[in-house]
Amino acid sequence: MTDFTRLPDLASRALGGAVVAANDEFFAARENLVLPEPAVERTEFGHKGKEYDGWETRRRRTPGHDWAIVRLGAPGIVGGIVVDTAFFSGNYPPHASLDGAAIEGHCSVDELTKADWQPLLALHDLAGNTHNHFPVFSDRRVTHVRLNIHPDGGVARLRVHGTALPDPRLVDAGPFDLAALENGGLVTGVSNEFYGRPSQLIAPGLARSMGEGWETARRRDSANDWVEVQLACEGVVTLLELDTSYFLGNAPGTAALTGSGPAGEVPLLPRTRLQPDTRHRFVLEGAPGVDRVRLDVYPDGGMARLRLWGRPTPAGRAALGRRWFDALPDVQALEVLGSVGVPPQEAGRLVGARPLGADLPPQVARLLDGPA
């Protein structure tokens, strides 16, 4: 994917992202950085001066720079960032950089500031009142990012676009949504997205309005609309949910779901009638493993959510586990191996030998390839 902005915003509050710390937020609150909606212009003045829809620090009178730390809603591999300085014209930072860290577990803010931060984006110039786009070239999975602004100023929004990469240890706990954005699902193709983005189909939670789903333009031909989703890993879907909530006069009349995987293309749900404003659930029995699905809606219309509950196949779980482990920064990879009882010297050897082969200690094989 060449346009990194087509990748999900891993930092968005809509995905569970949060600004957990900042060294200064005198003029405008740090939490605004990850709000999903675009920044708006404000004209009012408060006790501290003109108000802005963003994060703004005071004028720095000492050496150094300001920073804000964001916990990603979905840990993953960053493909690019947007530093949006909308409406900050005389008070934007002239330069910015970005660091990433991979944290094991749930740490305090104090522990987070002492984490092993690694550069994701070197210091770059910024323009005011502009969406500043920067590709990021990294193959490491991160759980947090730190935006550094030099020396001070205001930023409206930070978008951290990338590919979610779930922790396979959580996947092993039970059935999960193979299509969910937060689990690594990704929209790879769509026929039409005139009114609503297809990525919202696999967003967390329930839609709160028609605007939080996928909706196509009205068709005037004999074809139909569709969307394709790459799953978190190859898996067996056992429960399908097609949610048309809030779509009353514009829900599809019927829909079908087709999967593709090692067995080729397979029908998962035949063309089935849908109702407006309804969460439809279908139990799928005897379905083979698939790693992609195509949802066809007839002839057009809107859908709030697509859920594909199931379990990874053995091959899918192993591929996910190894992709996850290979993407861990060295420090977290050592912590992970230590948590399953691998001695430090052996852990160091394994981390340095990535990608690993098939001859592994039993506890490492279970970690990477899943329970036998």
PDB file of all heavy atoms in Angstrom, residues 259-298:
ATOM      1  N   GLY A 259     -15.238 -16.557   1.308  1.00  0.00           N
ATOM      2  CA  GLY A 259     -13.891 -16.590   1.862  1.00  0.00           C
ATOM      3  C   GLY A 259     -12.912 -17.167   0.870  1.00  0.00           C
ATOM      4  O   GLY A 259     -13.295 -17.852  -0.088  1.00  0.00           O
ATOM      5  N   SER A 260     -11.632 -16.878   1.095  1.00  0.00           N
ATOM      6  CA  SER A 260     -10.583 -17.501   0.283  1.00  0.00           C
ATOM      7  C   SER A 260      -9.442 -17.897   1.199  1.00  0.00           C
ATOM      8  O   SER A 260      -9.143 -17.220   2.182  1.00  0.00           O
ATOM      9  CB  SER A 260     -10.097 -16.552  -0.810  1.00  0.00           C
ATOM     10  OG  SER A 260      -9.588 -15.360  -0.248  1.00  0.00           O
ATOM     11  N   GLY A 261      -8.813 -19.024   0.873  1.00  0.00           N
ATOM     12  CA  GLY A 261      -7.731 -19.563   1.695  1.00  0.00           C
ATOM     13  C   GLY A 261      -7.057 -20.707   0.979  1.00  0.00           C
ATOM     14  O   GLY A 261      -7.084 -20.782  -0.262  1.00  0.00           O
ATOM     15  N   PRO A 262      -6.457 -21.617   1.736  1.00  0.00           N
ATOM     16  CA  PRO A 262      -5.751 -22.749   1.112  1.00  0.00           C
ATOM     17  C   PRO A 262      -6.631 -23.589   0.199  1.00  0.00           C
ATOM     18  O   PRO A 262      -6.147 -24.165  -0.780  1.00  0.00           O
ATOM     19  CB  PRO A 262      -5.271 -23.567   2.319  1.00  0.00           C
ATOM     20  CG  PRO A 262      -5.230 -22.595   3.452  1.00  0.00           C
ATOM     21  CD  PRO A 262      -6.337 -21.617   3.203  1.00  0.00           C
ATOM     22  N   ALA A 263      -7.923 -23.664   0.518  1.00  0.00           N
ATOM     23  CA  ALA A 263      -8.835 -24.464  -0.309  1.00  0.00           C
ATOM     24  C   ALA A 263      -9.403 -23.680  -1.476  1.00  0.00           C
ATOM     25  O   ALA A 263     -10.279 -24.161  -2.190  1.00  0.00           O
ATOM     26  CB  ALA A 263      -9.980 -24.997   0.558  1.00  0.00           C
ATOM     27  N   GLY A 264      -8.921 -22.474  -1.688  1.00  0.00           N
ATOM     28  CA  GLY A 264      -9.448 -21.635  -2.758  1.00  0.00           C
ATOM     29  C   GLY A 264     -10.617 -20.802  -2.272  1.00  0.00           C
ATOM     30  O   GLY A 264     -10.757 -20.518  -1.081  1.00  0.00           O
ATOM     31  N   GLU A 265     -11.484 -20.430  -3.180  1.00  0.00           N
ATOM     32  CA  GLU A 265     -12.636 -19.606  -2.846  1.00  0.00           C
ATOM     33  C   GLU A 265     -13.784 -20.476  -2.356  1.00  0.00           C
ATOM     34  O   GLU A 265     -14.135 -21.471  -2.992  1.00  0.00           O
ATOM     35  CB  GLU A 265     -13.066 -18.804  -4.078  1.00  0.00           C
ATOM     36  CG  GLU A 265     -14.047 -17.695  -3.787  1.00  0.00           C
ATOM     37  CD  GLU A 265     -14.281 -16.820  -4.991  1.00  0.00           C
ATOM     38  OE1 GLU A 265     -13.424 -15.942  -5.260  1.00  0.00           O
ATOM     39  OE2 GLU A 265     -15.301 -17.020  -5.678  1.00  0.00           O
ATOM     40  N   VAL A 266     -14.362 -20.117  -1.203  1.00  0.00           N
ATOM     41  CA  VAL A 266     -15.425 -20.934  -0.615  1.00  0.00           C
ATOM     42  C   VAL A 266     -16.565 -20.025  -0.156  1.00  0.00           C
ATOM     43  O   VAL A 266     -16.331 -18.957   0.415  1.00  0.00           O
ATOM     44  CB  VAL A 266     -14.911 -21.760   0.584  1.00  0.00           C
ATOM     45  CG1 VAL A 266     -13.937 -22.823   0.138  1.00  0.00           C
ATOM     46  CG2 VAL A 266     -14.280 -20.865   1.643  1.00  0.00           C
ATOM     47  N   PRO A 267     -17.819 -20.431  -0.392  1.00  0.00           N
ATOM     48  CA  PRO A 267     -18.954 -19.649   0.110  1.00  0.00           C
ATOM     49  C   PRO A 267     -19.107 -19.849   1.624  1.00  0.00           C
ATOM     50  O   PRO A 267     -19.122 -20.976   2.112  1.00  0.00           O
ATOM     51  CB  PRO A 267     -20.145 -20.215  -0.659  1.00  0.00           C
ATOM     52  CG  PRO A 267     -19.742 -21.611  -1.018  1.00  0.00           C
ATOM     53  CD  PRO A 267     -18.252 -21.591  -1.195  1.00  0.00           C
ATOM     54  N   LEU A 268     -19.210 -18.761   2.360  1.00  0.00           N
ATOM     55  CA  LEU A 268     -19.430 -18.838   3.802  1.00  0.00           C
ATOM     56  C   LEU A 268     -20.881 -18.546   4.158  1.00  0.00           C
ATOM     57  O   LEU A 268     -21.438 -19.156   5.068  1.00  0.00           O
ATOM     58  CB  LEU A 268     -18.506 -17.854   4.532  1.00  0.00           C
ATOM     59  CG  LEU A 268     -17.011 -18.112   4.389  1.00  0.00           C
ATOM     60  CD1 LEU A 268     -16.209 -17.018   5.104  1.00  0.00           C
ATOM     61  CD2 LEU A 268     -16.630 -19.484   4.939  1.00  0.00           C
ATOM     62  N   LEU A 269     -21.483 -17.605   3.453  1.00  0.00           N
ATOM     63  CA  LEU A 269     -22.902 -17.304   3.634  1.00  0.00           C
ATOM     64  C   LEU A 269     -23.510 -17.078   2.257  1.00  0.00           C
ATOM     65  O   LEU A 269     -23.072 -16.183   1.527  1.00  0.00           O
ATOM     66  CB  LEU A 269     -23.088 -16.044   4.495  1.00  0.00           C
ATOM     67  CG  LEU A 269     -24.550 -15.643   4.770  1.00  0.00           C
ATOM     68  CD1 LEU A 269     -25.177 -16.574   5.809  1.00  0.00           C
ATOM     69  CD2 LEU A 269     -24.644 -14.193   5.233  1.00  0.00           C
ATOM     70  N   PRO A 270     -24.505 -17.885   1.864  1.00  0.00           N
ATOM     71  CA  PRO A 270     -25.145 -17.641   0.570  1.00  0.00           C
ATOM     72  C   PRO A 270     -25.925 -16.324   0.613  1.00  0.00           C
ATOM     73  O   PRO A 270     -26.147 -15.752   1.678  1.00  0.00           O
ATOM     74  CB  PRO A 270     -26.083 -18.842   0.416  1.00  0.00           C
ATOM     75  CG  PRO A 270     -26.379 -19.270   1.822  1.00  0.00           C
ATOM     76  CD  PRO A 270     -25.118 -19.007   2.595  1.00  0.00           C
ATOM     77  N   ARG A 271     -26.308 -15.857  -0.536  1.00  0.00           N
ATOM     78  CA  ARG A 271     -27.059 -14.598  -0.591  1.00  0.00           C
ATOM     79  C   ARG A 271     -28.292 -14.700   0.300  1.00  0.00           C
ATOM     80  O   ARG A 271     -29.142 -15.582   0.119  1.00  0.00           O
ATOM     81  CB  ARG A 271     -27.431 -14.286  -2.034  1.00  0.00           C
ATOM     82  CG  ARG A 271     -28.051 -12.916  -2.216  1.00  0.00           C
ATOM     83  CD  ARG A 271     -28.114 -12.547  -3.682  1.00  0.00           C
ATOM     84  NE  ARG A 271     -28.879 -11.331  -3.895  1.00  0.00           N
ATOM     85  CZ  ARG A 271     -29.040 -10.740  -5.078  1.00  0.00           C
ATOM     86  NH1 ARG A 271     -28.458 -11.268  -6.155  1.00  0.00           N
ATOM     87  NH2 ARG A 271     -29.757  -9.652  -5.196  1.00  0.00           N
ATOM     88  N   THR A 272     -28.362 -13.784   1.269  1.00  0.00           N
ATOM     89  CA  THR A 272     -29.356 -13.878   2.337  1.00  0.00           C
ATOM     90  C   THR A 272     -30.045 -12.530   2.525  1.00  0.00           C
ATOM     91  O   THR A 272     -29.401 -11.481   2.461  1.00  0.00           O
ATOM     92  CB  THR A 272     -28.677 -14.294   3.658  1.00  0.00           C
ATOM     93  OG1 THR A 272     -28.036 -15.574   3.467  1.00  0.00           O
ATOM     94  CG2 THR A 272     -29.677 -14.404   4.794  1.00  0.00           C
ATOM     95  N   ARG A 273     -31.339 -12.563   2.788  1.00  0.00           N
ATOM     96  CA  ARG A 273     -32.092 -11.332   2.978  1.00  0.00           C
ATOM     97  C   ARG A 273     -31.681 -10.643   4.281  1.00  0.00           C
ATOM     98  O   ARG A 273     -31.470 -11.297   5.304  1.00  0.00           O
ATOM     99  CB  ARG A 273     -33.582 -11.641   3.014  1.00  0.00           C
ATOM    100  CG  ARG A 273     -34.468 -10.392   3.047  1.00  0.00           C
ATOM    101  CD  ARG A 273     -35.927 -10.757   3.051  1.00  0.00           C
ATOM    102  NE  ARG A 273     -36.286 -11.481   4.281  1.00  0.00           N
ATOM    103  CZ  ARG A 273     -37.545 -11.782   4.618  1.00  0.00           C
ATOM    104  NH1 ARG A 273     -38.537 -11.446   3.811  1.00  0.00           N
ATOM    105  NH2 ARG A 273     -37.790 -12.438   5.730  1.00  0.00           N
ATOM    106  N   LEU A 274     -31.576  -9.321   4.238  1.00  0.00           N
ATOM    107  CA  LEU A 274     -31.251  -8.521   5.415  1.00  0.00           C
ATOM    108  C   LEU A 274     -32.409  -7.607   5.762  1.00  0.00           C
ATOM    109  O   LEU A 274     -33.232  -7.256   4.914  1.00  0.00           O
ATOM    110  CB  LEU A 274     -30.000  -7.662   5.159  1.00  0.00           C
ATOM    111  CG  LEU A 274     -28.695  -8.385   4.843  1.00  0.00           C
ATOM    112  CD1 LEU A 274     -27.573  -7.358   4.679  1.00  0.00           C
ATOM    113  CD2 LEU A 274     -28.343  -9.402   5.914  1.00  0.00           C
ATOM    114  N   GLN A 275     -32.436  -7.202   7.037  1.00  0.00           N
ATOM    115  CA  GLN A 275     -33.416  -6.246   7.521  1.00  0.00           C
ATOM    116  C   GLN A 275     -32.724  -4.933   7.869  1.00  0.00           C
ATOM    117  O   GLN A 275     -31.549  -4.930   8.263  1.00  0.00           O
ATOM    118  CB  GLN A 275     -34.144  -6.789   8.754  1.00  0.00           C
ATOM    119  CG  GLN A 275     -34.937  -8.057   8.518  1.00  0.00           C
ATOM    120  CD  GLN A 275     -36.057  -7.849   7.509  1.00  0.00           C
ATOM    121  OE1 GLN A 275     -36.691  -6.795   7.472  1.00  0.00           O
ATOM    122  NE2 GLN A 275     -36.299  -8.855   6.674  1.00  0.00           N
ATOM    123  N   PRO A 276     -33.432  -3.811   7.754  1.00  0.00           N
ATOM    124  CA  PRO A 276     -32.841  -2.544   8.183  1.00  0.00           C
ATOM    125  C   PRO A 276     -32.633  -2.508   9.689  1.00  0.00           C
ATOM    126  O   PRO A 276     -33.335  -3.201  10.451  1.00  0.00           O
ATOM    127  CB  PRO A 276     -33.896  -1.503   7.759  1.00  0.00           C
ATOM    128  CG  PRO A 276     -34.803  -2.213   6.804  1.00  0.00           C
ATOM    129  CD  PRO A 276     -34.772  -3.648   7.187  1.00  0.00           C
ATOM    130  N   ASP A 277     -31.640  -1.716  10.127  1.00  0.00           N
ATOM    131  CA  ASP A 277     -31.439  -1.404  11.544  1.00  0.00           C
ATOM    132  C   ASP A 277     -31.451  -2.663  12.422  1.00  0.00           C
ATOM    133  O   ASP A 277     -32.129  -2.722  13.440  1.00  0.00           O
ATOM    134  CB  ASP A 277     -32.519  -0.423  12.006  1.00  0.00           C
ATOM    135  CG  ASP A 277     -32.162   0.252  13.325  1.00  0.00           C
ATOM    136  OD1 ASP A 277     -30.958   0.347  13.637  1.00  0.00           O
ATOM    137  OD2 ASP A 277     -33.090   0.669  14.043  1.00  0.00           O
ATOM    138  N   THR A 278     -30.667  -3.670  12.025  1.00  0.00           N
ATOM    139  CA  THR A 278     -30.707  -4.976  12.694  1.00  0.00           C
ATOM    140  C   THR A 278     -29.310  -5.570  12.782  1.00  0.00           C
ATOM    141  O   THR A 278     -28.534  -5.485  11.826  1.00  0.00           O
ATOM    142  CB  THR A 278     -31.624  -5.951  11.914  1.00  0.00           C
ATOM    143  OG1 THR A 278     -32.938  -5.409  11.841  1.00  0.00           O
ATOM    144  CG2 THR A 278     -31.669  -7.324  12.576  1.00  0.00           C
ATOM    145  N   ARG A 279     -29.022  -6.198  13.907  1.00  0.00           N
ATOM    146  CA  ARG A 279     -27.793  -6.986  14.042  1.00  0.00           C
ATOM    147  C   ARG A 279     -28.116  -8.431  13.680  1.00  0.00           C
ATOM    148  O   ARG A 279     -28.749  -9.152  14.452  1.00  0.00           O
ATOM    149  CB  ARG A 279     -27.233  -6.888  15.463  1.00  0.00           C
ATOM    150  CG  ARG A 279     -26.738  -5.501  15.835  1.00  0.00           C
ATOM    151  CD  ARG A 279     -26.289  -5.432  17.283  1.00  0.00           C
ATOM    152  NE  ARG A 279     -25.082  -6.198  17.516  1.00  0.00           N
ATOM    153  CZ  ARG A 279     -24.557  -6.411  18.732  1.00  0.00           C
ATOM    154  NH1 ARG A 279     -25.155  -5.927  19.814  1.00  0.00           N
ATOM    155  NH2 ARG A 279     -23.447  -7.105  18.860  1.00  0.00           N
ATOM    156  N   HIS A 280     -27.682  -8.853  12.506  1.00  0.00           N
ATOM    157  CA  HIS A 280     -27.939 -10.208  12.023  1.00  0.00           C
ATOM    158  C   HIS A 280     -26.784 -11.109  12.454  1.00  0.00           C
ATOM    159  O   HIS A 280     -25.617 -10.769  12.225  1.00  0.00           O
ATOM    160  CB  HIS A 280     -28.028 -10.240  10.496  1.00  0.00           C
ATOM    161  CG  HIS A 280     -28.989  -9.255   9.906  1.00  0.00           C
ATOM    162  ND1 HIS A 280     -28.704  -7.906   9.778  1.00  0.00           N
ATOM    163  CD2 HIS A 280     -30.226  -9.438   9.372  1.00  0.00           C
ATOM    164  CE1 HIS A 280     -29.726  -7.298   9.202  1.00  0.00           C
ATOM    165  NE2 HIS A 280     -30.656  -8.197   8.938  1.00  0.00           N
ATOM    166  N   ARG A 281     -27.080 -12.260  13.019  1.00  0.00           N
ATOM    167  CA  ARG A 281     -26.049 -13.227  13.411  1.00  0.00           C
ATOM    168  C   ARG A 281     -26.321 -14.561  12.742  1.00  0.00           C
ATOM    169  O   ARG A 281     -27.454 -15.048  12.746  1.00  0.00           O
ATOM    170  CB  ARG A 281     -26.006 -13.385  14.934  1.00  0.00           C
ATOM    171  CG  ARG A 281     -25.542 -12.128  15.665  1.00  0.00           C
ATOM    172  CD  ARG A 281     -25.345 -12.431  17.146  1.00  0.00           C
ATOM    173  NE  ARG A 281     -24.805 -11.291  17.854  1.00  0.00           N
ATOM    174  CZ  ARG A 281     -25.520 -10.437  18.562  1.00  0.00           C
ATOM    175  NH1 ARG A 281     -26.840 -10.582  18.635  1.00  0.00           N
ATOM    176  NH2 ARG A 281     -24.956  -9.436  19.186  1.00  0.00           N
ATOM    177  N   PHE A 282     -25.237 -15.141  12.184  1.00  0.00           N
ATOM    178  CA  PHE A 282     -25.352 -16.397  11.467  1.00  0.00           C
ATOM    179  C   PHE A 282     -24.266 -17.355  11.974  1.00  0.00           C
ATOM    180  O   PHE A 282     -23.070 -17.016  11.941  1.00  0.00           O
ATOM    181  CB  PHE A 282     -25.169 -16.188   9.959  1.00  0.00           C
ATOM    182  CG  PHE A 282     -26.100 -15.157   9.376  1.00  0.00           C
ATOM    183  CD1 PHE A 282     -25.670 -13.850   9.190  1.00  0.00           C
ATOM    184  CD2 PHE A 282     -27.389 -15.501   9.008  1.00  0.00           C
ATOM    185  CE1 PHE A 282     -26.517 -12.896   8.644  1.00  0.00           C
ATOM    186  CE2 PHE A 282     -28.254 -14.552   8.468  1.00  0.00           C
ATOM    187  CZ  PHE A 282     -27.811 -13.246   8.288  1.00  0.00           C
ATOM    188  N   VAL A 283     -24.666 -18.527  12.437  1.00  0.00           N
ATOM    189  CA  VAL A 283     -23.712 -19.566  12.832  1.00  0.00           C
ATOM    190  C   VAL A 283     -23.246 -20.284  11.572  1.00  0.00           C
ATOM    191  O   VAL A 283     -24.063 -20.731  10.753  1.00  0.00           O
ATOM    192  CB  VAL A 283     -24.355 -20.562  13.810  1.00  0.00           C
ATOM    193  CG1 VAL A 283     -23.391 -21.712  14.112  1.00  0.00           C
ATOM    194  CG2 VAL A 283     -24.765 -19.856  15.104  1.00  0.00           C
ATOM    195  N   LEU A 284     -21.929 -20.375  11.411  1.00  0.00           N
ATOM    196  CA  LEU A 284     -21.351 -21.028  10.235  1.00  0.00           C
ATOM    197  C   LEU A 284     -20.770 -22.364  10.673  1.00  0.00           C
ATOM    198  O   LEU A 284     -19.857 -22.417  11.507  1.00  0.00           O
ATOM    199  CB  LEU A 284     -20.261 -20.154   9.613  1.00  0.00           C
ATOM    200  CG  LEU A 284     -20.656 -18.712   9.256  1.00  0.00           C
ATOM    201  CD1 LEU A 284     -19.499 -18.008   8.558  1.00  0.00           C
ATOM    202  CD2 LEU A 284     -21.904 -18.671   8.386  1.00  0.00           C
ATOM    203  N   GLU A 285     -21.257 -23.426  10.121  1.00  0.00           N
ATOM    204  CA  GLU A 285     -20.813 -24.776  10.505  1.00  0.00           C
ATOM    205  C   GLU A 285     -20.005 -25.401   9.385  1.00  0.00           C
ATOM    206  O   GLU A 285     -20.381 -25.334   8.216  1.00  0.00           O
ATOM    207  CB  GLU A 285     -22.017 -25.655  10.853  1.00  0.00           C
ATOM    208  CG  GLU A 285     -22.815 -25.159  12.059  1.00  0.00           C
ATOM    209  CD  GLU A 285     -23.977 -26.069  12.393  1.00  0.00           C
ATOM    210  OE1 GLU A 285     -24.231 -27.020  11.612  1.00  0.00           O
ATOM    211  OE2 GLU A 285     -24.632 -25.834  13.415  1.00  0.00           O
ATOM    212  N   GLY A 286     -18.883 -26.007   9.775  1.00  0.00           N
ATOM    213  CA  GLY A 286     -18.075 -26.741   8.800  1.00  0.00           C
ATOM    214  C   GLY A 286     -17.301 -25.888   7.827  1.00  0.00           C
ATOM    215  O   GLY A 286     -16.876 -26.372   6.771  1.00  0.00           O
ATOM    216  N   ALA A 287     -17.094 -24.606   8.159  1.00  0.00           N
ATOM    217  CA  ALA A 287     -16.360 -23.731   7.245  1.00  0.00           C
ATOM    218  C   ALA A 287     -14.868 -24.067   7.277  1.00  0.00           C
ATOM    219  O   ALA A 287     -14.312 -24.346   8.345  1.00  0.00           O
ATOM    220  CB  ALA A 287     -16.573 -22.272   7.634  1.00  0.00           C
ATOM    221  N   PRO A 288     -14.196 -24.018   6.137  1.00  0.00           N
ATOM    222  CA  PRO A 288     -12.750 -24.252   6.119  1.00  0.00           C
ATOM    223  C   PRO A 288     -12.003 -22.996   6.557  1.00  0.00           C
ATOM    224  O   PRO A 288     -12.582 -21.917   6.701  1.00  0.00           O
ATOM    225  CB  PRO A 288     -12.473 -24.566   4.650  1.00  0.00           C
ATOM    226  CG  PRO A 288     -13.501 -23.776   3.918  1.00  0.00           C
ATOM    227  CD  PRO A 288     -14.727 -23.776   4.788  1.00  0.00           C
ATOM    228  N   GLY A 289     -10.690 -23.125   6.740  1.00  0.00           N
ATOM    229  CA  GLY A 289      -9.876 -21.976   7.091  1.00  0.00           C
ATOM    230  C   GLY A 289      -9.762 -21.001   5.923  1.00  0.00           C
ATOM    231  O   GLY A 289      -9.582 -21.407   4.777  1.00  0.00           O
ATOM    232  N   VAL A 290      -9.887 -19.706   6.237  1.00  0.00           N
ATOM    233  CA  VAL A 290      -9.766 -18.665   5.220  1.00  0.00           C
ATOM    234  C   VAL A 290      -8.906 -17.540   5.778  1.00  0.00           C
ATOM    235  O   VAL A 290      -8.787 -17.373   6.999  1.00  0.00           O
ATOM    236  CB  VAL A 290     -11.145 -18.110   4.794  1.00  0.00           C
ATOM    237  CG1 VAL A 290     -11.976 -19.192   4.127  1.00  0.00           C
ATOM    238  CG2 VAL A 290     -11.895 -17.523   5.987  1.00  0.00           C
ATOM    239  N   ASP A 291      -8.275 -16.780   4.883  1.00  0.00           N
ATOM    240  CA  ASP A 291      -7.496 -15.627   5.339  1.00  0.00           C
ATOM    241  C   ASP A 291      -7.987 -14.311   4.733  1.00  0.00           C
ATOM    242  O   ASP A 291      -7.496 -13.242   5.077  1.00  0.00           O
ATOM    243  CB  ASP A 291      -6.004 -15.814   5.065  1.00  0.00           C
ATOM    244  CG  ASP A 291      -5.688 -16.131   3.617  1.00  0.00           C
ATOM    245  OD1 ASP A 291      -6.521 -15.818   2.740  1.00  0.00           O
ATOM    246  OD2 ASP A 291      -4.611 -16.693   3.357  1.00  0.00           O
ATOM    247  N   ARG A 292      -8.978 -14.390   3.827  1.00  0.00           N
ATOM    248  CA  ARG A 292      -9.602 -13.198   3.253  1.00  0.00           C
ATOM    249  C   ARG A 292     -11.090 -13.474   3.076  1.00  0.00           C
ATOM    250  O   ARG A 292     -11.500 -14.624   2.882  1.00  0.00           O
ATOM    251  CB  ARG A 292      -8.997 -12.856   1.882  1.00  0.00           C
ATOM    252  CG  ARG A 292      -7.562 -12.374   1.941  1.00  0.00           C
ATOM    253  CD  ARG A 292      -7.004 -12.141   0.531  1.00  0.00           C
ATOM    254  NE  ARG A 292      -5.627 -11.686   0.588  1.00  0.00           N
ATOM    255  CZ  ARG A 292      -5.248 -10.419   0.645  1.00  0.00           C
ATOM    256  NH1 ARG A 292      -6.171  -9.460   0.643  1.00  0.00           N
ATOM    257  NH2 ARG A 292      -3.979 -10.078   0.702  1.00  0.00           N
ATOM    258  N   VAL A 293     -11.874 -12.399   3.130  1.00  0.00           N
ATOM    259  CA  VAL A 293     -13.298 -12.541   2.844  1.00  0.00           C
ATOM    260  C   VAL A 293     -13.733 -11.400   1.933  1.00  0.00           C
ATOM    261  O   VAL A 293     -13.100 -10.334   1.891  1.00  0.00           O
ATOM    262  CB  VAL A 293     -14.168 -12.529   4.121  1.00  0.00           C
ATOM    263  CG1 VAL A 293     -13.832 -13.718   5.015  1.00  0.00           C
ATOM    264  CG2 VAL A 293     -14.034 -11.212   4.874  1.00  0.00           C
ATOM    265  N   ARG A 294     -14.805 -11.651   1.210  1.00  0.00           N
ATOM    266  CA  ARG A 294     -15.443 -10.620   0.391  1.00  0.00           C
ATOM    267  C   ARG A 294     -16.913 -10.575   0.774  1.00  0.00           C
ATOM    268  O   ARG A 294     -17.613 -11.593   0.708  1.00  0.00           O
ATOM    269  CB  ARG A 294     -15.282 -10.920  -1.100  1.00  0.00           C
ATOM    270  CG  ARG A 294     -16.135  -9.991  -1.979  1.00  0.00           C
ATOM    271  CD  ARG A 294     -15.798 -10.161  -3.430  1.00  0.00           C
ATOM    272  NE  ARG A 294     -16.873  -9.637  -4.290  1.00  0.00           N
ATOM    273  CZ  ARG A 294     -16.662  -9.025  -5.447  1.00  0.00           C
ATOM    274  NH1 ARG A 294     -15.424  -8.862  -5.886  1.00  0.00           N
ATOM    275  NH2 ARG A 294     -17.684  -8.597  -6.172  1.00  0.00           N
ATOM    276  N   LEU A 295     -17.353  -9.402   1.202  1.00  0.00           N
ATOM    277  CA  LEU A 295     -18.759  -9.171   1.522  1.00  0.00           C
ATOM    278  C   LEU A 295     -19.408  -8.492   0.327  1.00  0.00           C
ATOM    279  O   LEU A 295     -18.995  -7.392  -0.070  1.00  0.00           O
ATOM    280  CB  LEU A 295     -18.893  -8.286   2.764  1.00  0.00           C
ATOM    281  CG  LEU A 295     -20.302  -7.825   3.116  1.00  0.00           C
ATOM    282  CD1 LEU A 295     -21.196  -9.004   3.499  1.00  0.00           C
ATOM    283  CD2 LEU A 295     -20.277  -6.783   4.236  1.00  0.00           C
ATOM    284  N   ASP A 296     -20.398  -9.153  -0.269  1.00  0.00           N
ATOM    285  CA  ASP A 296     -21.170  -8.571  -1.369  1.00  0.00           C
ATOM    286  C   ASP A 296     -22.513  -8.108  -0.830  1.00  0.00           C
ATOM    287  O   ASP A 296     -23.218  -8.876  -0.146  1.00  0.00           O
ATOM    288  CB  ASP A 296     -21.399  -9.604  -2.473  1.00  0.00           C
ATOM    289  CG  ASP A 296     -20.160  -9.821  -3.320  1.00  0.00           C
ATOM    290  OD1 ASP A 296     -19.953  -9.044  -4.264  1.00  0.00           O
ATOM    291  OD2 ASP A 296     -19.393 -10.757  -3.014  1.00  0.00           O
ATOM    292  N   VAL A 297     -22.879  -6.854  -1.114  1.00  0.00           N
ATOM    293  CA  VAL A 297     -24.197  -6.340  -0.744  1.00  0.00           C
ATOM    294  C   VAL A 297     -24.968  -6.049  -2.016  1.00  0.00           C
ATOM    295  O   VAL A 297     -24.389  -5.605  -3.020  1.00  0.00           O
ATOM    296  CB  VAL A 297     -24.096  -5.083   0.149  1.00  0.00           C
ATOM    297  CG1 VAL A 297     -23.435  -5.430   1.468  1.00  0.00           C
ATOM    298  CG2 VAL A 297     -23.349  -3.945  -0.531  1.00  0.00           C
ATOM    299  N   TYR A 298     -26.275  -6.318  -1.988  1.00  0.00           N
ATOM    300  CA  TYR A 298     -27.097  -6.216  -3.195  1.00  0.00           C
ATOM    301  C   TYR A 298     -28.254  -5.261  -2.951  1.00  0.00           C
ATOM    302  O   TYR A 298     -28.992  -5.443  -1.996  1.00  0.00           O
ATOM    303  CB  TYR A 298     -27.631  -7.593  -3.583  1.00  0.00           C
ATOM    304  CG  TYR A 298     -26.570  -8.607  -3.875  1.00  0.00           C
ATOM    305  CD1 TYR A 298     -26.045  -9.387  -2.852  1.00  0.00           C
ATOM    306  CD2 TYR A 298     -26.083  -8.799  -5.164  1.00  0.00           C
ATOM    307  CE1 TYR A 298     -25.059 -10.330  -3.114  1.00  0.00           C
ATOM    308  CE2 TYR A 298     -25.113  -9.750  -5.439  1.00  0.00           C
ATOM    309  CZ  TYR A 298     -24.604 -10.516  -4.406  1.00  0.00           C
ATOM    310  OH  TYR A 298     -23.632 -11.453  -4.669  1.00  0.00           O
TER     311      TYR A 298
END
